[in-house]
Amino acid sequence: MSIRGILFDIDDTLIDYSATARVGLLRHLRAEDLLDYFLSPEEAVLLWRALEEEEYPRFLAGELTFTGQQQLRTKRFLSHIGVKERDPVAWFARYAARRDTAWAAFPDVPPTLRGLSGQVALGVVSNSSRAHQQGKLEAVGLHEHFGDAVLCSAEFGAAKPDPSIFRAGCAMIGLPPDQVAYVGDRFDTDGIGARDAGLRAYWLDRTARGVAHRDGVTVIPSLSELSATTFGHFDPH
């Protein structure tokens, strides 16, 4: 069966989330006179990332709201350095404002999407909130490739790797799962999740370990692989 549509993850797949979050955090800590509380900038970044990895899954599981996990991450981060913040929501908002001016797409993304647009149906399935992700896509000039075909877990009510959100993404672009590819940077959440939902699964491993396939998931080191090697198998008709 030919691939007639592609669904993408956003963070660390289309947009360099990790690098942007690092830049934004360090900007914020300097502006708030908090960077000297840490032994090094890297220590601050590692702590912030560790707290995100702990608290964000609680949002995905429905234990916390999207803003609730932000507030808890902020409280824990500042508590680590002995700083009390009366308004963690406002503190996170100031961080986000400094971070959001630095959003950037990976270099391989714009040319790949331009090559795919009009040839196959394109969409996004993301573990986040729709307004938040739409804002990122607009900020980096990618929104035009997806339009309203953006499905996020906060509004849908289930998060990857739940099969239902992948299948809902396929329905969103009007195709059955076996005619849709899913591309994401997390092997378990994106690759295995999409595979188990009946989609063609692609794990974007930018570390380029040289593994072509793993457990039924195709491994690619760059999105350019979609047009350079895979595109020849697509049939949009």
Side-chain angles (χ1 to χ4, degrees), residues 176-189:
D178 64 354
Q179 295 182 25
V180 178
Y182 188 84
V183 184
D185 70 296
R186 296 195 176 220
F187 177 72
D188 291 334
T189 303

Side-chain angles (χ1 to χ4, degrees), residues 47 57-58 61 77 82 102 105 115 130 157 171 178 189 203-204 207 219 230:
L47 175 61
R58 297 182 62 194
F77 182 80
R130 194 171 191 272
D178 64 354
T189 303
W203 176 34
L204 177 62
T207 62
V219 185
T230 317

